PDB file of all heavy atoms in Angstrom:
ATOM      1  N   PRO A1426      47.882 -71.864 320.914  1.00 96.00           N
ATOM      2  CA  PRO A1426      48.289 -73.236 320.270  1.00 96.00           C
ATOM      3  C   PRO A1426      49.652 -73.691 320.835  1.00 96.00           C
ATOM      4  O   PRO A1426      50.610 -72.917 320.957  1.00 96.00           O
ATOM      5  CB  PRO A1426      48.470 -72.969 318.908  1.00 96.00           C
ATOM      6  CG  PRO A1426      47.612 -71.809 318.594  1.00 96.00           C
ATOM      7  CD  PRO A1426      47.768 -70.981 319.704  1.00 96.00           C
ATOM      8  N   GLY A1427      49.636 -74.898 321.410  1.00 96.00           N
ATOM      9  CA  GLY A1427      51.000 -75.477 321.844  1.00 96.00           C
ATOM     10  C   GLY A1427      51.155 -75.285 323.326  1.00 96.00           C
ATOM     11  O   GLY A1427      52.107 -75.764 323.952  1.00 96.00           O
ATOM     12  N   ALA A1428      50.248 -74.540 323.913  1.00 96.00           N
ATOM     13  CA  ALA A1428      50.419 -74.096 325.379  1.00 96.00           C
ATOM     14  C   ALA A1428      50.266 -75.396 326.229  1.00 96.00           C
ATOM     15  O   ALA A1428      49.442 -76.234 325.852  1.00 96.00           O
ATOM     16  CB  ALA A1428      49.484 -72.966 325.856  1.00 96.00           C
ATOM     17  N   GLU A1429      50.845 -75.385 327.421  1.00 95.00           N
ATOM     18  CA  GLU A1429      50.734 -76.495 328.257  1.00 95.00           C
ATOM     19  C   GLU A1429      49.326 -76.638 328.641  1.00 95.00           C
ATOM     20  O   GLU A1429      48.531 -75.612 328.976  1.00 95.00           O
ATOM     21  CB  GLU A1429      51.520 -76.250 329.620  1.00 95.00           C
ATOM     22  CG  GLU A1429      51.585 -77.406 330.529  1.00 95.00           C
ATOM     23  CD  GLU A1429      52.398 -77.103 331.808  1.00 95.00           C
ATOM     24  OE1 GLU A1429      53.336 -76.104 331.652  1.00 95.00           O
ATOM     25  OE2 GLU A1429      52.512 -77.965 332.692  1.00 95.00           O
ATOM     26  N   PRO A1430      48.703 -77.884 328.698  1.00 94.00           N
ATOM     27  CA  PRO A1430      47.206 -78.023 329.063  1.00 94.00           C
ATOM     28  C   PRO A1430      47.014 -77.402 330.591  1.00 94.00           C
ATOM     29  O   PRO A1430      47.808 -77.562 331.273  1.00 94.00           O
ATOM     30  CB  PRO A1430      47.183 -79.483 329.025  1.00 94.00           C
ATOM     31  CG  PRO A1430      48.264 -80.055 328.127  1.00 94.00           C
ATOM     32  CD  PRO A1430      49.433 -79.251 328.456  1.00 94.00           C
ATOM     33  N   ALA A1431      45.768 -76.929 330.611  1.00 95.00           N
ATOM     34  CA  ALA A1431      45.308 -76.422 331.872  1.00 95.00           C
ATOM     35  C   ALA A1431      43.941 -76.684 332.122  1.00 95.00           C
ATOM     36  O   ALA A1431      42.989 -75.773 332.099  1.00 95.00           O
ATOM     37  CB  ALA A1431      45.641 -74.890 331.924  1.00 95.00           C
ATOM     38  N   TYR A1432      43.533 -78.025 332.144  1.00 96.00           N
ATOM     39  CA  TYR A1432      42.042 -78.454 332.217  1.00 96.00           C
ATOM     40  C   TYR A1432      41.578 -78.147 333.624  1.00 96.00           C
ATOM     41  O   TYR A1432      42.209 -78.508 334.546  1.00 96.00           O
ATOM     42  CB  TYR A1432      42.002 -79.996 331.843  1.00 96.00           C
ATOM     43  CG  TYR A1432      42.198 -80.081 330.337  1.00 96.00           C
ATOM     44  CD1 TYR A1432      43.444 -79.912 329.700  1.00 96.00           C
ATOM     45  CD2 TYR A1432      41.241 -80.784 329.524  1.00 96.00           C
ATOM     46  CE1 TYR A1432      43.583 -80.111 328.422  1.00 96.00           C
ATOM     47  CE2 TYR A1432      41.445 -80.951 328.181  1.00 96.00           C
ATOM     48  CZ  TYR A1432      42.499 -80.590 327.588  1.00 96.00           C
ATOM     49  OH  TYR A1432      42.771 -80.908 326.338  1.00 96.00           O
ATOM     50  N   LYS A1433      40.337 -77.659 333.611  1.00 92.00           N
ATOM     51  CA  LYS A1433      39.716 -77.395 334.875  1.00 92.00           C
ATOM     52  C   LYS A1433      38.866 -78.622 335.407  1.00 92.00           C
ATOM     53  O   LYS A1433      38.625 -79.519 334.522  1.00 92.00           O
ATOM     54  CB  LYS A1433      38.836 -76.118 334.774  1.00 92.00           C
ATOM     55  CG  LYS A1433      39.388 -74.852 334.186  1.00 92.00           C
ATOM     56  CD  LYS A1433      40.389 -74.318 335.308  1.00 92.00           C
ATOM     57  CE  LYS A1433      40.919 -72.995 335.005  1.00 92.00           C
ATOM     58  NZ  LYS A1433      41.806 -72.965 333.828  1.00 92.00           N
ATOM     59  N   TYR A1434      38.428 -78.622 336.633  1.00 91.00           N
ATOM     60  CA  TYR A1434      37.837 -79.763 337.265  1.00 91.00           C
ATOM     61  C   TYR A1434      36.369 -79.870 336.790  1.00 91.00           C
ATOM     62  O   TYR A1434      35.710 -80.913 336.990  1.00 91.00           O
ATOM     63  CB  TYR A1434      37.899 -79.796 338.798  1.00 91.00           C
ATOM     64  CG  TYR A1434      37.368 -80.843 339.489  1.00 91.00           C
ATOM     65  CD1 TYR A1434      37.958 -82.088 339.407  1.00 91.00           C
ATOM     66  CD2 TYR A1434      36.131 -80.707 340.090  1.00 91.00           C
ATOM     67  CE1 TYR A1434      37.323 -83.164 340.127  1.00 91.00           C
ATOM     68  CE2 TYR A1434      35.549 -81.824 340.721  1.00 91.00           C
ATOM     69  CZ  TYR A1434      36.160 -83.116 340.795  1.00 91.00           C
ATOM     70  OH  TYR A1434      35.588 -84.130 341.361  1.00 91.00           O
ATOM     71  N   GLY A1435      35.783 -78.733 336.330  1.00 91.00           N
ATOM     72  CA  GLY A1435      34.375 -78.743 336.105  1.00 91.00           C
ATOM     73  C   GLY A1435      33.949 -79.898 335.177  1.00 91.00           C
ATOM     74  O   GLY A1435      32.827 -80.496 335.444  1.00 91.00           O
ATOM     75  N   ILE A1436      34.531 -79.998 334.072  1.00 94.00           N
ATOM     76  CA  ILE A1436      34.075 -81.119 333.151  1.00 94.00           C
ATOM     77  C   ILE A1436      34.130 -82.444 333.831  1.00 94.00           C
ATOM     78  O   ILE A1436      33.538 -83.481 333.575  1.00 94.00           O
ATOM     79  CB  ILE A1436      34.873 -81.043 331.818  1.00 94.00           C
ATOM     80  CG1 ILE A1436      34.344 -81.938 330.861  1.00 94.00           C
ATOM     81  CG2 ILE A1436      36.334 -81.327 332.026  1.00 94.00           C
ATOM     82  CD1 ILE A1436      34.788 -81.794 329.440  1.00 94.00           C
ATOM     83  N   VAL A1437      35.165 -82.654 334.737  1.00 96.00           N
ATOM     84  CA  VAL A1437      35.317 -84.012 335.366  1.00 96.00           C
ATOM     85  C   VAL A1437      33.983 -84.210 336.385  1.00 96.00           C
ATOM     86  O   VAL A1437      33.499 -85.285 336.299  1.00 96.00           O
ATOM     87  CB  VAL A1437      36.491 -84.040 336.337  1.00 96.00           C
ATOM     88  CG1 VAL A1437      36.653 -85.253 337.115  1.00 96.00           C
ATOM     89  CG2 VAL A1437      37.793 -83.782 335.417  1.00 96.00           C
ATOM     90  N   GLU A1438      33.683 -83.142 336.977  1.00 94.00           N
ATOM     91  CA  GLU A1438      32.436 -83.353 337.846  1.00 94.00           C
ATOM     92  C   GLU A1438      31.144 -83.474 337.002  1.00 94.00           C
ATOM     93  O   GLU A1438      30.291 -84.300 337.197  1.00 94.00           O
ATOM     94  CB  GLU A1438      32.370 -82.108 338.696  1.00 94.00           C
ATOM     95  CG  GLU A1438      31.176 -82.207 339.643  1.00 94.00           C
ATOM     96  CD  GLU A1438      31.515 -83.318 340.757  1.00 94.00           C
ATOM     97  OE1 GLU A1438      32.665 -83.711 340.999  1.00 94.00           O
ATOM     98  OE2 GLU A1438      30.554 -83.767 341.372  1.00 94.00           O
ATOM     99  N   LEU A1439      31.010 -82.731 335.794  1.00 95.00           N
ATOM    100  CA  LEU A1439      29.922 -82.958 334.872  1.00 95.00           C
ATOM    101  C   LEU A1439      29.892 -84.429 334.249  1.00 95.00           C
ATOM    102  O   LEU A1439      28.775 -84.955 334.235  1.00 95.00           O
ATOM    103  CB  LEU A1439      29.885 -81.989 333.762  1.00 95.00           C
ATOM    104  CG  LEU A1439      29.662 -80.421 334.130  1.00 95.00           C
ATOM    105  CD1 LEU A1439      30.185 -79.562 333.040  1.00 95.00           C
ATOM    106  CD2 LEU A1439      28.165 -80.267 334.366  1.00 95.00           C
ATOM    107  N   TYR A1440      31.036 -84.910 333.979  1.00 96.00           N
ATOM    108  CA  TYR A1440      31.151 -86.280 333.496  1.00 96.00           C
ATOM    109  C   TYR A1440      30.639 -87.171 334.642  1.00 96.00           C
ATOM    110  O   TYR A1440      29.763 -88.142 334.183  1.00 96.00           O
ATOM    111  CB  TYR A1440      32.522 -86.629 333.118  1.00 96.00           C
ATOM    112  CG  TYR A1440      32.754 -88.023 332.760  1.00 96.00           C
ATOM    113  CD1 TYR A1440      32.490 -88.566 331.604  1.00 96.00           C
ATOM    114  CD2 TYR A1440      33.306 -88.822 333.753  1.00 96.00           C
ATOM    115  CE1 TYR A1440      32.663 -89.957 331.271  1.00 96.00           C
ATOM    116  CE2 TYR A1440      33.651 -90.306 333.569  1.00 96.00           C
ATOM    117  CZ  TYR A1440      33.309 -90.817 332.388  1.00 96.00           C
ATOM    118  OH  TYR A1440      33.517 -92.117 332.045  1.00 96.00           O
ATOM    119  N   ALA A1441      30.936 -87.087 335.767  1.00 96.00           N
ATOM    120  CA  ALA A1441      30.647 -87.880 336.882  1.00 96.00           C
ATOM    121  C   ALA A1441      29.218 -87.919 337.232  1.00 96.00           C
ATOM    122  O   ALA A1441      28.597 -88.923 337.530  1.00 96.00           O
ATOM    123  CB  ALA A1441      31.550 -87.728 338.002  1.00 96.00           C
ATOM    124  N   GLN A1442      28.725 -86.763 337.104  1.00 95.00           N
ATOM    125  CA  GLN A1442      27.334 -86.455 337.701  1.00 95.00           C
ATOM    126  C   GLN A1442      26.213 -86.733 336.631  1.00 95.00           C
ATOM    127  O   GLN A1442      25.140 -87.192 336.764  1.00 95.00           O
ATOM    128  CB  GLN A1442      27.151 -85.035 338.157  1.00 95.00           C
ATOM    129  CG  GLN A1442      27.987 -84.623 339.322  1.00 95.00           C
ATOM    130  CD  GLN A1442      27.386 -85.316 340.618  1.00 95.00           C
ATOM    131  OE1 GLN A1442      26.406 -85.719 340.622  1.00 95.00           O
ATOM    132  NE2 GLN A1442      28.323 -85.360 341.585  1.00 95.00           N
ATOM    133  N   LEU A1443      26.438 -86.446 335.380  1.00 95.00           N
ATOM    134  CA  LEU A1443      25.519 -86.569 334.305  1.00 95.00           C
ATOM    135  C   LEU A1443      25.454 -87.863 333.634  1.00 95.00           C
ATOM    136  O   LEU A1443      24.351 -88.254 333.098  1.00 95.00           O
ATOM    137  CB  LEU A1443      25.721 -85.595 333.224  1.00 95.00           C
ATOM    138  CG  LEU A1443      25.765 -84.087 333.655  1.00 95.00           C
ATOM    139  CD1 LEU A1443      26.218 -83.018 332.514  1.00 95.00           C
ATOM    140  CD2 LEU A1443      24.402 -83.630 334.129  1.00 95.00           C
ATOM    141  N   GLY A1444      26.522 -88.696 333.650  1.00 95.00           N
ATOM    142  CA  GLY A1444      26.489 -90.152 333.277  1.00 95.00           C
ATOM    143  C   GLY A1444      26.214 -90.145 331.629  1.00 95.00           C
ATOM    144  O   GLY A1444      25.456 -91.092 331.211  1.00 95.00           O
ATOM    145  N   VAL A1445      26.812 -89.199 330.917  1.00 97.00           N
ATOM    146  CA  VAL A1445      26.732 -89.425 329.410  1.00 97.00           C
ATOM    147  C   VAL A1445      28.065 -89.295 328.796  1.00 97.00           C
ATOM    148  O   VAL A1445      29.085 -88.983 329.422  1.00 97.00           O
ATOM    149  CB  VAL A1445      25.915 -88.140 328.886  1.00 97.00           C
ATOM    150  CG1 VAL A1445      24.478 -88.085 329.410  1.00 97.00           C
ATOM    151  CG2 VAL A1445      26.566 -86.760 329.225  1.00 97.00           C
ATOM    152  N   PRO A1446      28.203 -89.825 327.468  1.00 98.00           N
ATOM    153  CA  PRO A1446      29.505 -89.762 326.886  1.00 98.00           C
ATOM    154  C   PRO A1446      30.098 -88.401 326.754  1.00 98.00           C
ATOM    155  O   PRO A1446      29.262 -87.489 326.621  1.00 98.00           O
ATOM    156  CB  PRO A1446      29.224 -90.403 325.436  1.00 98.00           C
ATOM    157  CG  PRO A1446      27.862 -91.061 325.473  1.00 98.00           C
ATOM    158  CD  PRO A1446      26.971 -90.212 326.646  1.00 98.00           C
ATOM    159  N   VAL A1447      31.358 -88.277 326.669  1.00 98.00           N
ATOM    160  CA  VAL A1447      32.089 -87.058 326.348  1.00 98.00           C
ATOM    161  C   VAL A1447      32.799 -87.139 325.102  1.00 98.00           C
ATOM    162  O   VAL A1447      33.559 -88.061 324.967  1.00 98.00           O
ATOM    163  CB  VAL A1447      32.997 -86.691 327.567  1.00 98.00           C
ATOM    164  CG1 VAL A1447      33.877 -85.485 327.117  1.00 98.00           C
ATOM    165  CG2 VAL A1447      32.351 -86.289 328.812  1.00 98.00           C
ATOM    166  N   VAL A1448      32.534 -86.250 324.095  1.00 98.00           N
ATOM    167  CA  VAL A1448      33.144 -86.187 322.941  1.00 98.00           C
ATOM    168  C   VAL A1448      34.239 -85.110 322.924  1.00 98.00           C
ATOM    169  O   VAL A1448      33.886 -83.914 322.799  1.00 98.00           O
ATOM    170  CB  VAL A1448      32.182 -86.010 321.761  1.00 98.00           C
ATOM    171  CG1 VAL A1448      32.941 -86.159 320.393  1.00 98.00           C
ATOM    172  CG2 VAL A1448      31.160 -87.081 321.797  1.00 98.00           C
ATOM    173  N   PRO A1449      35.553 -85.520 322.921  1.00 98.00           N
ATOM    174  CA  PRO A1449      36.593 -84.373 322.787  1.00 98.00           C
ATOM    175  C   PRO A1449      36.659 -83.867 321.432  1.00 98.00           C
ATOM    176  O   PRO A1449      36.408 -84.583 320.419  1.00 98.00           O
ATOM    177  CB  PRO A1449      37.908 -84.996 323.221  1.00 98.00           C
ATOM    178  CG  PRO A1449      37.517 -86.469 323.727  1.00 98.00           C
ATOM    179  CD  PRO A1449      36.119 -86.784 323.234  1.00 98.00           C
TER     180      PRO A1449
END
Side-chain angles (χ1 to χ4, degrees):
E1429 185 177 352
Y1432 288 62
K1433 303 293 190 290
Y1434 183 73
I1436 190 168
V1437 177
E1438 191 63 22
L1439 285 165
Y1440 168 82
Q1442 295 287 342
L1443 297 178
V1445 297
V1447 172
V1448 181

